[in-house]
Structures are given as C-alpha cells and as structure tokens.
Amino acid sequence: MKKLFLISFALTLAVTVRAQQLPLYSQYMYNPFLHNPSLTGFKESPQVFLVHRQQWRDMPGSPVTNALSVDGKFPGNEKIGMGLYVYQDVTDLIERLGLGGAYSYSFQLSGDHFLLAGLSFGVTDNQIDFSRALVMDKDDPFLYSDKRRKISMDAAFGLTYWWNDLQVGFSVPQLLGNDVRYISNESNAYYHLSRHYTAGAKYSFNISESNQIKGEPSVMVRMMKGAPVQVDVNAMVSWKDFLFGGFSYRSNYAVGAHFGIKLNHSLSAGYYYDYVISDIGSYSGGGHEFMLGYAFGGKKEEKKPEENSVQQMTDSLLMVLKKENQEQKTEIDSLKKAVDDLRNVPVPVNYNPGGNNTPGGNNTPGGSNPNNPGSSNTTPVDTAGLIKKASLTEFKTEIGATIDPGFYVIVGAFKGEGNAMEVKEKWIKMGYQTSKVLFNAKRKLFYVTVLQTPVKDAAITELKEVRSGAEDTWIFEMK
C-alpha cells in the first residue's frame, strides 16, 4: 500500500511541478525585476510592488501566489541596482516560500547602447502537507499524516541589452537545478527543480505625441526541458503616464486583459484577468491578478494642455535660473546679456516669424540677403558667455550611466523629465540623431543635448546652426 501511495504521489507531484514550478505573473511588464535580475533598480526611484494572483479560481487546490519586491539604485553609484523579494506559492499540498536578494550592474557599450547584468540568490522553503490529502484508508499506518519540509538554495541570472526605447533580455531562473528530497527511514521521495530559460523584448513609442499616448508591445518566450515552449505576446497603451491597459496572449493557455492607474507618479494599481482557452478552460474559472506599487520620491509633473514648442521652451534654463539662489546670479546675468546681444542683430528682410526658421529652412546659412547682395544671412555668433564649465560627475544619462568629458551643445533644461524627453524627440526628428537627455541630480534638472564632441570648434559650429531653432542654446564644457 505504501509503495502504491508513493508512486501515485510522485506521479502527481511530477505533473504539477513540471507544468508550473515557478510562480506565474502576468503584469511583469511593470515590474520586470521579478523575472530578470538584470533589471533590478532600472527605474530612477526606488519602488516596491505587492502582487496577489489566483489561478484557475474554480478548481480546488488551484495555484495562489503572493509576492513582495523592493528594488532601487545603490546610493552613490547609479550603475548598481539592488533588490529584495519574498514570495509564497501554494498549489494544493505543495507550498513554496522564497526569500532572496538581487544585484545588477550597467555597462555602457557605446553611446546610447548599454548592457545590464544581474544575479539573484535566495533560499526556498519547500513544504508538502500530507494531512490535507484525501485518502481512502485514513488508518493505513504507512501513509504520511504530517507536513514535510525541505530548505533549498536557488539562484537566477539575467542579461538585458538597452538601446533608447528598445530592451532585449534573457534570464535563467532556478539556475542551480537542485533536487528537493524528502527522506525518511523507509522512503526517499523527491522532485527536481528544473532550470528554466526566458527571453523577451519590448519597445516603447509615441502613438500621439500631442495627446501623450504611448504604446509598448512586448514578447516573452519561456522554455524548460520536458515542457512545451510558451510564448507571451503583449500590447500595452498608456495615456499621460496616468492610465494604462492592454491585451495579452499566452500560447496554449489563455488570453488576458489588464488595466491600471498611476497617481502622483508614486502610487499605482493594476488588475489582470486571464480567460483560459486551453482544454481546462470550461471548468477552470480563469484567473485574477492584483498589483499595487509605490515609487519613493515620485513627484507629480504639471502638464499644460496643447503645449507647443515655444511653451515648452519656457521651462528652459533661462526661466529656471531666475528662481535659483543668489549664488547663480552671475551666470544668469551673463546668459541674459548674450541673448540680448543676439536679439539686437539686424533681421533680414526675408525673415518670417512663425515661418520656416528652423535648421534647413529659408533663413539658414547660405540663403540670400536682399539688403546686402552677394552676402549670406549668416551672422557671426558671439560665444562669449555661452560656453559654461560644468562638473562631469554631476551629470548622468537617461538610465543613470556616466558621461564622457567634452563639449555638449545644450538646447534646453527642464524640471520635468517628460518635457525633456518630448523636446529630445523633436530634435531627433529634425535630424539630430545623437540627441539625448542628461540629468543633474544636484540641480534636479533634465538637460537636452544634441551634440557631444571633444573638439571645441565643432561644438561652436553646431551651436551656430541650432540657434535658429532654439534661441536659448549654450555649450557645457564637461570636465
């Protein structure tokens, strides 16, 4: 009788754990740290997430998962991310309680190309409660009637390639591939923690820049020896970084829909529903997943309706510095004087305010000046006061990487990151493909730069060209 029970138990357990050994999450696009340790601390602010998931809610003993995670950048070094996680995953008689930590590091390959590597390590309490089993003969002395538990080590490894709005990642959960053994005097029951492989990619883009609507398609592939490959295809849309939602397809399993809300750039909440389309769909009851997140230090950005390029530039450095302390007054006066000098330059007859004065338009260098035949519209720009010295250590890239020394042509500075990103995209569309956003943590400002060069003369030449499209332009000499 005992041998028959152990064989039945082993077969049931093998089917259960091979079908789903790892907790299954559906809203991982908002908290990718849970499935890829290389994305630990990838956000600017530390964040904490709480997830509750109930799978196949109409089936007795169906999987129930609870998870809590917190991650952020390491103080003093934004290339390093650190995080902690704890989860509980219960499926009928089997319960797993895991606790661990994660570490990531960002490598700058070249320009806007980065490689993120991460490793997580933890312990898992694997429990089987035989007292909850339904058996025919409860008086059989060979049957287990207690709870068995075994502590095992676990680890995961991940890599992510990041270029602007594209992310491509790979991770290996249950890296150690341990056996969990429940040993007694007369038996040796165990199951194997199979090594998993996941790969995914996502891309962010603007659907409507004026209405602040963004799209984010993504795909994830899961692989494990002895189990079919599973593919997730997700399509997410967000509006003003306030409302978000989308649809998902999980091959050989389910389709789903999710929606959520984000308040004050700090508190967020989301809900996901699974509609099972596999063979168990008619009696499984689908699944529910709830998510609650909080970003520490998040601030609500003020948004003005129907902002045009001129209104956005009012948030530039010239307006911001007027509110700074007396220590910066000399720099402000110097910049204002340079701008006033440029405004006093005689304007050509063919100048058309509101017309095509952008780079490449009718008023660019090389055009004709009716008041001075044979000459061009190019007026020498006095760079006195427009080349500012800055400390290299005060600036980081959009994802927290260090920058190289040299001369940076700056076309604006902003209190809000959203405004800076919009202006960067405008300059990219105008042909300045190397445009990027730099963050100064000391001043709490986001700077948009269209060129970085080690040659001073090259920076001055570029400055003259872009001033027709952005009057408040200057050069940072980073040392």
Side-chain angles (χ1 to χ4, degrees), residues 96-142:
R96 300 180 69 194
L97 180 64
L99 172 67
Y103 171 90
S104 69
Y105 192 86
S106 173
F107 300 90
Q108 184 173 11
L109 301 179
S110 64
D112 294 330
H113 300 265
F114 296 87
L115 181 66
L116 287 68
L119 181 68
S120 66
F121 187 82
V123 295
T124 305
D125 181 10
N126 305 274
Q127 302 182 36
I128 302 179
D129 190 354
F130 291 99
S131 65
R132 295 167 55 187
L134 299 177
V135 296
M136 296 292 295
D137 186 1
K138 297 184 178 180
D139 296 324
D140 191 327
F142 292 103

Side-chain angles (χ1 to χ4, degrees), residues 409-465:
V409 178
I410 309 295
V411 296
F414 305 85
K415 282 289 190 181
E417 183 179 8
N419 287 340
M421 295 300 293
E422 290 178 10
V423 171
K424 183 195 80 169
E425 294 299 326
K426 289 179 182 295
W427 282 92
I428 290 177
K429 292 178 180 179
M430 291 165 60
Y432 294 86
Q433 299 299 323
T434 60
S435 299
K436 65 179 67 175
V437 174
L438 306 178
F439 178 64
N440 188 311
K442 182 178 180 181
R443 294 189 177 183
K444 304 296 183 183
L445 292 175
F446 295 90
Y447 296 80
V448 180
T449 176
V450 296
L451 175 72
Q452 183 271 328
T453 175
V455 182
K456 181 178 180 181
D457 290 342
I460 293 175
T461 300
E462 190 75 5
L463 176 70
K464 295 177 181 179
E465 292 183 0

Side-chain angles (χ1 to χ4, degrees), residues 232-243:
D232 291 3
V233 179
N234 308 296
M236 189 188 79
V237 176
S238 64
W239 176 63
K240 293 187 176 181
D241 200 27
F242 171 62
L243 295 177

